[in-house]
Amino acid sequence: MKVDIDRFFGLSAQKVTISTEIIAGLTTFLSMVYILIILPDMQAKLNIDPGAIFVAICLITVIGCFLSGLYSQYPIVIAPAVMLNVYLYMIVQSSSLSWQVALGAMFISGLLFFIVVVTSCHRLLLDAMPYCITQSVI
């Protein structure tokens, strides 16, 4: 079963090519790879295994970006969601919450984001934004 990537994602209609999308994806990845270096070190200060955080970030990013692109057909990078780990660090450092409780709240947040992505809610959100902001988001 052959999948026509151009037709599935509507690349011609958007006046882009597969090679352009690959270059854009690699550029985005290279501009954000610092996350893989910073976050495990930060989370180690909270007594979280840095190796486990590194693997989790890699898996979540690959799976999340793949599902987001496949279902929404928009090139949405989930770096803002991954950077919630910085928020986790700040919350745990400044409050009496354990990292487990803060991580649970992050999981619920990620689940809500996933629901928005796989339903038509993301279209409602994009349509509600001014055009210039929508273009910066997608």
Side-chain angles (χ1 to χ4, degrees):
M1 179 173 120
K2 184 178 176 186
V3 176
D4 186 358
I5 294 174
D6 179 46
R7 191 173 54 185
F8 181 79
F9 288 107
L11 299 178
S12 295
Q14 297 178 37
K15 299 178 182 165
V16 295
T17 63
I18 293 173
S19 61
T20 302
E21 291 298 304
I22 290 172
I23 290 169
L26 287 173
T27 303
T28 302
F29 171 77
L30 291 173
S31 68
M32 295 180 356
V33 75
Y34 71 92
I35 294 170
L36 292 174
I37 299 165
I38 293 171
L39 289 182
D41 184 52
M42 285 181 75
Q43 304 309 356
K45 294 174 185 172
L46 301 177
N47 296 323
I48 303 173
D49 179 19
I53 289 292
F54 179 82
V55 171
I57 291 169
C58 291
L59 290 174
I60 289 168
T61 302
V62 167
I63 293 168
C65 288
F66 176 77
L67 290 175
S68 176
L70 185 65
Y71 286 107
S72 72
Q73 296 185 353
Y74 280 104
I76 298 173
V77 180
I78 64 163
V82 173
M83 288 307 291
L84 282 173
N85 282 290
V86 174
Y87 183 67
L88 168 95
Y89 177 79
M90 292 168 52
I91 292 296
V92 172
Q93 289 294 325
S94 65
S95 72
S96 61
L97 291 175
S98 69
W99 67 264
Q100 292 91 339
V101 171
L103 197 59
M106 284 176 50
F107 174 77
I108 293 169
S109 154
L111 191 60
L112 291 173
F113 181 77
F114 179 75
I115 291 168
V116 166
V117 168
V118 298
T119 64
S120 61
C121 290
H122 69 278
R123 298 270 185 203
L124 295 171
L125 292 172
L126 289 174
D127 290 343
M129 291 184 208
Y131 181 76
C132 60
I133 294 176
T134 301
Q135 290 306 302
S136 69
V137 171
I138 60 171

